Amino acid sequence: MEPLTDKAIRASFVNCSKGEASRLKLPAGFRELPWEDLDFLGWRDPGAPLRAHLVLPSPTGPNGLTGVSLRVPDATRTSAVKSSMCQFCLTGHASSGVTLFAAPLAGAAGRQGNTVGVYACDDLACSLYLRGKRQPKLRSARYEESLTLEERTARCLGNVAAFVDKVTGGR
């Protein structure tokens, strides 16, 4: 992914107001992010821990980007014995490593409170898990895939894009 600017990120959001987009906090260490290893930008808002954001390349979005604001439910107790899988990158985690993210739908439906959800890596660092740059907290037996890195990243981006399409109604 090419490095993004603060202005381009804030202009890309489709399911929140411009005021909300202007107030969101960018990820910690924004200038030092490993852009060459990212397929999309995802982060938990450091100023509002129950908020998260996704920005991905999109030919239909402003500046070639589409951003989605996400909500995170209050922390619940999770089992260290159970495991879960991210629906974006298909990385297996201890159940505490996967979180339900809910995105208000874009437009009138979202203003009425309608949302769509996805279970994803708690830190939204799917690109780094795919490349082995970050490891799940509890390292269980990792599923070995015969897919290449390019095929896995394409699958992950396809999964993220499908979720964003649900948020935007396919716009």
Side-chain angles (χ1 to χ4, degrees), residues 43-64:
W43 75 99
R44 297 284 291 262
D45 193 320
L50 298 180
R51 295 251 181 216
H53 312 285
L54 284 176
V55 177
L56 68 148
S58 169
T60 59
N63 301 319

Side-chain angles (χ1 to χ4, degrees), residues 92-112:
H93 292 271
S95 62
S96 61
V98 172
T99 297
L100 173 64
F101 292 96
L105 297 179
R111 289 189 291 277
Q112 293 174 356

Side-chain angles (χ1 to χ4, degrees), residues 58-76:
S58 169
T60 59
N63 301 319
L65 301 170
T66 299
V68 174
S69 182
L70 306 165
R71 296 182 192 138
V72 182
D74 285 331
T76 59

Side-chain angles (χ1 to χ4, degrees), residues 143-161:
Y143 301 107
E144 293 298 322
E145 293 187 284
S146 59
L147 299 176
T148 65
L149 176 60
E150 291 78 23
E151 291 169 328
R152 286 182 286 148
T153 57
R155 178 184 61 199
C156 180
L157 269 177
N159 293 340
V160 175

Side-chain angles (χ1 to χ4, degrees), residues 72-85:
V72 182
D74 285 331
T76 59
R77 288 204 272 174
T78 58
S79 169
V81 180
K82 293 182 180 178
S83 60
S84 299
M85 185 176 287

